[in-house]
Amino acid sequence: MNIWNYPARSRRSKHWALRSTNGRNAVSPRPNGTAHPYVDTAHRAALMYSFATTLIAVFIELSGWPSAVNFIAANTIVFMFAVTIGNYTRLGLREETDNQMRNPPTTMRFVLVALVCR
C-alpha cells in the first residue's frame, strides 16, 4: 500500500501529497494534489528574492552612498519583495484567479504600478 503519491519525472513531482486508502487527497483539497499556481509562484519568488536580497546586501556593503540612503533603499526593495510574496500567497489561498492583473484590488494597484516601474 503506497500512501505517497509521488509521480516520477512529472511536472508535479515536487509536490508531495499524502493519500488516504480511498484515493482522496488527505493533505490538499485540490484533486490533482498540486498547489494553486500562485502558491507555487510564491515559493519560487521567495527563493529568487532571497538570493536577490543577498546580492543587495553585498552591493550595499560596496556602495559609496551614505548609510542612511543604503538603509532606505535596501529596506524599500525588501518591503516590495515581502508585499509581492504576500500577495501571491493571498491569491493562492483564495484561489480566485490565475491572473492577478485581470482585476487587481484597489489596495494593490499602487504596489503593482510600483513593481512595474521599478
Side-chain angles (χ1 to χ4, degrees), residues 12-115:
R12 296 184 305 262
S13 63
K14 66 180 176 178
H15 298 287
W16 289 75
L18 181 63
R19 298 280 181 173
S20 62
T21 56
N22 62 1
R24 294 181 50 148
N25 196 338
V27 174
S28 173
R30 295 178 63 84
N32 60 359
T34 62
H36 188 270
Y38 271 108
V39 172
D40 195 29
T41 302
H43 288 134
R44 291 179 190 179
L47 290 172
M48 289 188 289
Y49 291 163
S50 66
F51 179 71
T53 303
T54 305
L55 289 178
I56 290 168
V58 172
F59 294 152
I60 285 175
E61 187 176 329
L62 301 173
S63 174
W65 289 89
S67 296
V69 173
N70 289 335
F71 180 78
I72 292 170
N75 282 326
T76 301
I77 294 170
V78 171
F79 174 75
M80 295 299 285
F81 288 167
V83 168
T84 304
I85 293 169
N87 188 41
Y88 291 150
T89 304
R90 180 185 62 85
L91 290 170
L93 292 175
R94 286 185 165 182
E95 294 186 4
E96 293 176 352
T97 185
D98 57 356
N99 184 354
Q100 70 175 345
M101 301 300 245
R102 189 175 300 139
N103 294 316
T106 56
T107 57
M108 293 303 290
R109 290 182 197 266
F110 170 75
V111 174
L112 293 175
V113 169
L115 286 173

